Amino acid sequence: MAKINPYSNPLYVLEELMQALKSDDPEISGALDRITALTGIQKQVLLDMASDAHDSISQISNITDAVVHLNNDLTIRRWNPAAEKIYGFSADEAMGQNIEELLQTEYDIESRQQSLESFQEHGMWTGELVHRRKDGTRIQVYTRLAQTHNARGLLTGIVSLFRDISGNVSSANMPELMTTRLRTMLKATNEAIWDWDFRTNRHWWSEGMERVFGYGPDELEPGPESWYSRIHPEDKERITEAIHLAINGSASYWQDDYKFRKKDGSWAYVIDRGHIIRDEAGMAVRMIGGLSDRTEQRSMIYELADAHRRLSSHLNNSPLAVVEWDADFNMISWSTRAEEIFGWKSSEVIGKNLKIWKFIHDDDNERVKKEMNDLITGKVKSNVVANRNYCKDGNSVTCEWYNSVLFDSDGNRVSFFSQAHDISELAISQQNLRKSEEMYRTIVDTAHEGIWLIDEEGKTTYVNRRLSEILGYSAVDMKGHTFTGFTHEDYIGQASDGFEERKKGEMESNEILLKHRDGHGVWVHYNANPIHDNSGRFTGALAMVTDITGKKKTDEVITSSLREKQVMLEEIHHRVKNNMQLISSLMQLQAMKVSDASVKALFDDSHSRILSMALVHENLYEADDMSSVDFGDYLQKLTGNLRDVYAGAPVTISVESGDIKLGIGQAIPLGLIVNELVTNAIRHAFPDGREGTISVELAEGSKGTHLLTVKDDGIGYKKRGQKGLGLELVDGLVRQIKGTITFRNKKGTVVEVGF
């Protein structure tokens, strides 16, 4: 079978031009490899940039022939408008379909086998086929098929051209038409197409050489020196060796990149790619290729690679997990932060499908599906979803997902882009906060005290259930109304003055009369505190309110009762004092009629004892507090009375006492003790009319104890003889107050009574 020049196929030339974007240069190749790993969004940016750099290639959409790009398995991956017009199938209907099944291609098995062998051997095939349109009608098409390869020589697919020749164009005219089309396309391309005939060693350049690199037809040598001489010295040896190795070997194509000198002397970074045509013996006879200036694209690639590097760095260092899914929800990108949050490495999840991967928590799955369906249907372009996700270790985390969808220019979904923020701790905090708020609200609503919040204008913002019960208003009724509207008219001034004090930062605890909904007054006790924001600005006040209306009534009853009892006690003390003074006077009169000195002494003792008791009742009657006696003042009066009774004795009596108050249960017995001890000292400590001093001291000890000391500078206790009635009375009185008594001789007599 005769070999067919593949470059007689214009679509093959076009594919070669598109493949010429590839490079084996380590830097550019590395950048392209990285670009293949870019996210859908970044790929779209690169495609847009490539489209801008090769406007001429886009003319493929405007030709009338059906141009169909196929995958290796003959499934359709590109379907131009002419194909839609010829066959009636839209791009959406054709994409992904097997072309032979979709168009119901007709040929016998032997013809198909021969065509397949020719296509595999030469990389292309030309012939006629019969297809069926969508409406079922049969058409005859002139067909050209060409293989496409990547930079590493791997088959990447098939470019197919179909022309309807059913009624108006014969297959005999097709080569001429295609040749005319090729010339037109070569003029439209931004490439320098070259043809090197090894048999004549002639080198032909297309018009693109002048458009791209500035060299006119007359400025180029006829041989390969037109190419060799313009290769950069640094690249010449490498390129020369590589192309000759390809020619002399068995390769069917060659590709490399290097620097090429333009007419203006500048150096262009170019990609050069050629197809080697061999004879039946395998000898290279011709090489046809294209030289493309990729200076701008190279710069773009490096800039894009740098941008990708920076973006990847930012995404990987972001506190948010960054993931991307393709249009079918297969994972295509998984950041470092995603690995940290969920535990899976990128290599473990790339390619996983969200629909079958147990990643979303079972309890949240249906809700998330509903939210994501809004993105899928285009109802929203982005959304925020909070849900739980499973981790590799089986635990779950709560994440807030920020999702968006990317569409291409035709409105087809390209990918879903998501950022996830681990809010597990925040979710726990919010849950605890909700529980705390619920507990707080329960406490507030069930509190026995009313709680009243007002703003900086004095308007009610919140009241609890108890305050509503106290005043008879619902929380809704009170909200927005000033506190003075619920205050009794007589106390509005007090309430307003207090609010002004809150504004100054002052707290207050007081009682006030409020007004119940039904009109009656309600006495309350309140503790009011000011409220300030973080800047210190006054924003209102909080008052804790207790209903004391019942207590007020009880207090009034108790106060009235106490007032009555106070009057009664005063009257009792007054009458007791008067009765004792009467008895004392009667005894004094009786004593005046007694001539016996011993009997008279008995009357004097009784007289002084009665006066000491009467004096206690007199002090209580005159005091504001009838529950206790100022004992220091009492001692002064008591010793004064004793001086009057024993006015003839040359004795000095002194009293020293602090501010000590004693109840009536201690005051009367202690007064009698002092009376007996001082009287005893006056009578027995200073015989024969000698002068002396008696001192009375009352001191307060620790833990509520007291010490009474009565001492004199007389003859001493031991010389007085046995105890008389007075000292026996003292012993009994000491036991009555549960005290202790001691007698000592120290320059006289010292008596100490502790109680």
Side-chain angles (χ1 to χ4, degrees), residues 227 231 235 238-239 254 257-260 268-270 272 291:
W227 172 62
I231 298 176
D235 300 323
R238 174 178 61 84
I239 297 301
W254 163 84
D257 59 287
Y258 51 89
K259 286 179 283 189
F260 188 79
Y269 286 93
V270 298
D272 202 351
L291 187 65

Side-chain angles (χ1 to χ4, degrees), residues 228-241:
Y228 285 134
S229 62
R230 291 171 174 83
I231 298 176
H232 195 281
E234 295 177 356
D235 300 323
K236 184 174 292 187
E237 182 179 352
R238 174 178 61 84
I239 297 301
T240 302
E241 180 181 348

Side-chain angles (χ1 to χ4, degrees), residues 207-220:
E207 296 175 6
M209 190 62 164
E210 184 173 6
R211 288 196 307 273
V212 179
F213 300 102
Y215 298 105
D218 299 334
E219 299 175 282
L220 297 170

Side-chain angles (χ1 to χ4, degrees), residues 495-533:
S496 299
D497 292 344
F499 186 63
E500 292 302 316
E501 292 299 313
R502 298 301 85 70
K503 292 180 179 179
K504 298 176 183 178
E506 298 295 328
M507 297 182 292
E508 183 183 8
S509 179
N510 207 342
E511 295 178 357
I512 197 168
L513 185 61
L514 300 180
K515 187 167 53 178
H516 194 273
R517 183 169 193 160
D518 62 12
H520 74 265
V522 180
W523 276 102
V524 298
H525 180 274
Y526 64 90
N527 291 296
N529 293 275
I531 300 174
H532 299 88
D533 60 18

